Amino acid sequence: MMKRVLLYPNINRDQNLALTQEVVAMLTDCGVEAVVCPLYTANSSWAIPQTLSVSTLDDELDRADMIITFGGDGTILRAARAAAGLPIPILGVNMGSKGFMAELEQGDIDLIRRVVAGDYTINRRMMLDVEIVRGGNAVYRDFALNDVVVTGLTKVVNLTLFGDGQVITSFSGDGVIVATPTGSTAYSMAAGGPIVEPSTANIIITPVCAHVLAAKSFVLASDRRISVELGAVKANPAIMTVDGGAYRNLLTGDVVNVCKSGKETLLVHLANRSFYKKVSEKLGERF
């Protein structure tokens, strides 16, 4: 039985936490404790209502039955990173532009009553482990729900991609995206990569503006170990980002290793829209 839900609003999206407060009242009416844990941003111009008691996500995770996010996919990504490896499902309410990962739109919040009643399923989303190896030593480790991106900051970079130690391709270009199926509808899709059903387990490799005709996307089995080796970059710096977060500088000869993680993200699914319908709606196309 659901007892305690964390509400995780992006206060730049949910102005004055108006929608969050509606859901607080709804959950309280259903006998569920609602704890508001706002996603603060430095440039926010919206104040937290003084009548609202707030906490932080990290402080409340150990007693949470579910997280409900209010914002775009970036808000869900932040919640997923916080809850990675924990049996806490995430329900996204889209207040952004695309919102591929969100299950509900703003006008759907009454469906949260169904969630409280247990009328939902869980989608298990694959994640990736990533490390930067420099001089034979791992100097950085992280994990991703969407993607790992290696790019040049100003000009092209020279990259060699390996799968289980075998060369996949080498090219010069703007960079490469290594994505999960969940991340296939993000940067990977914009760079020309395939849309992959998010409930599957695959690793998608998509070159970005490669200067060679043979550099195409690859969809690989989830048990492959992907390595991206950085060739000579001269004075042009290269970077790695994970789920669009802060970048890490890369040096010539660095290797970025990516593989399926033991962690998963649990997303709430209400079966009111299929993946195909969501893609059609979000991309503005009719199939």
Side-chain angles (χ1 to χ4, degrees):
M1 179 181 177
M2 191 175 301
K3 296 180 179 179
R4 201 164 189 269
V5 173
L6 308 185
L7 306 186
Y8 189 56
N10 182 332
I11 61 178
N12 283 329
R13 299 284 190 178
D14 187 11
Q15 300 175 6
N16 296 318
L17 299 186
L19 192 62
T20 299
Q21 292 185 83
E22 285 188 46
V23 176
V24 168
M26 181 186 302
L27 292 172
T28 301
D29 183 59
C30 293
V32 176
E33 181 185 1
V35 182
V36 180
C37 305
L39 169 58
Y40 295 97
T41 56
N43 61 349
S44 173
S45 60
W46 305 103
I48 302 294
Q50 294 183 352
T51 57
L52 203 58
S53 177
V54 301
S55 185
T56 65
L57 199 64
D58 288 341
D59 287 341
E60 303 293 341
L61 282 172
D62 60 342
R63 295 181 293 153
D65 296 314
M66 182 175 290
I67 301 170
I68 302 179
T69 68
F70 301 83
D73 283 350
T75 308
I76 296 177
L77 286 171
R78 285 175 176 262
R81 290 183 65 81
L86 299 174
I88 305 174
I90 299 170
L91 172 63
V93 179
N94 181 39
M95 303 187 75
S97 53
K98 293 298 183 186
F100 273 104
M101 295 168 62
E103 184 67 14
L104 301 179
E105 300 296 327
Q106 296 180 51
D108 299 330
I109 61 169
D110 281 345
L111 295 177
I112 291 175
R113 296 183 184 275
R114 281 179 48 188
V115 175
V116 172
D119 183 16
Y120 66 92
T121 57
I122 295 293
N123 280 346
R124 295 182 175 272
R125 299 292 182 89
M126 166 186 164
M127 302 182 79
L128 298 171
D129 285 334
V130 56
E131 66 176 6
I132 298 173
V133 176
R134 179 172 298 155
N137 298 311
V139 296
Y140 178 75
R141 288 189 173 92
D142 205 344
F143 55 89
L145 172 57
N146 259 5
D147 50 39
V148 178
V149 180
V150 176
T151 58
L153 268 180
T154 56
K155 295 184 180 180
V156 301
V157 288
N158 301 314
L159 301 175
T160 301
L161 276 59
F162 299 85
D164 295 338
Q166 302 297 311
V167 174
I168 298 174
T169 185
S170 295
F171 63 91
S172 295
D174 286 1
V176 68
I177 306 161
V178 183
T180 65
T182 298
S184 72
T185 51
Y187 186 18
S188 179
M189 180 190 71
I195 296 174
V196 180
E197 191 167 4
S199 59
T200 61
N202 295 104
I203 298 177
I204 302 103
I205 300 174
T206 303
V208 182
C209 297
H211 295 178
V212 58
L213 290 175
K216 300 296 184 182
S217 294
F218 288 82
V219 180
L220 305 179
S222 64
D223 60 354
R224 299 301 181 204
R225 180 179 177 85
I226 307 305
S227 298
V228 180
E229 184 174 328
L230 184 65
V233 293
K234 299 180 181 179
N236 304 319
I239 60 171
M240 182 194 76
T241 58
V242 177
D243 281 346
Y247 66 80
R248 294 279 170 173
N249 290 310
L250 297 175
L251 306 177
T252 297
D254 281 357
V255 177
V256 176
N257 292 322
V258 184
C259 63
K260 181 181 179 182
S261 177
K263 301 180 177 69
E264 292 181 315
T265 293
L266 309 181
L267 296 183
V268 173
H269 180 54
L270 286 165
N272 57 318
R273 285 185 301 168
S274 69
F275 170 66
Y276 315 108
K277 182 174 177 62
K278 182 180 290 188
V279 168
S280 177
E281 291 174 350
K282 299 297 182 181
L283 296 182
E285 299 286 350
R286 296 294 179 186
F287 297 138

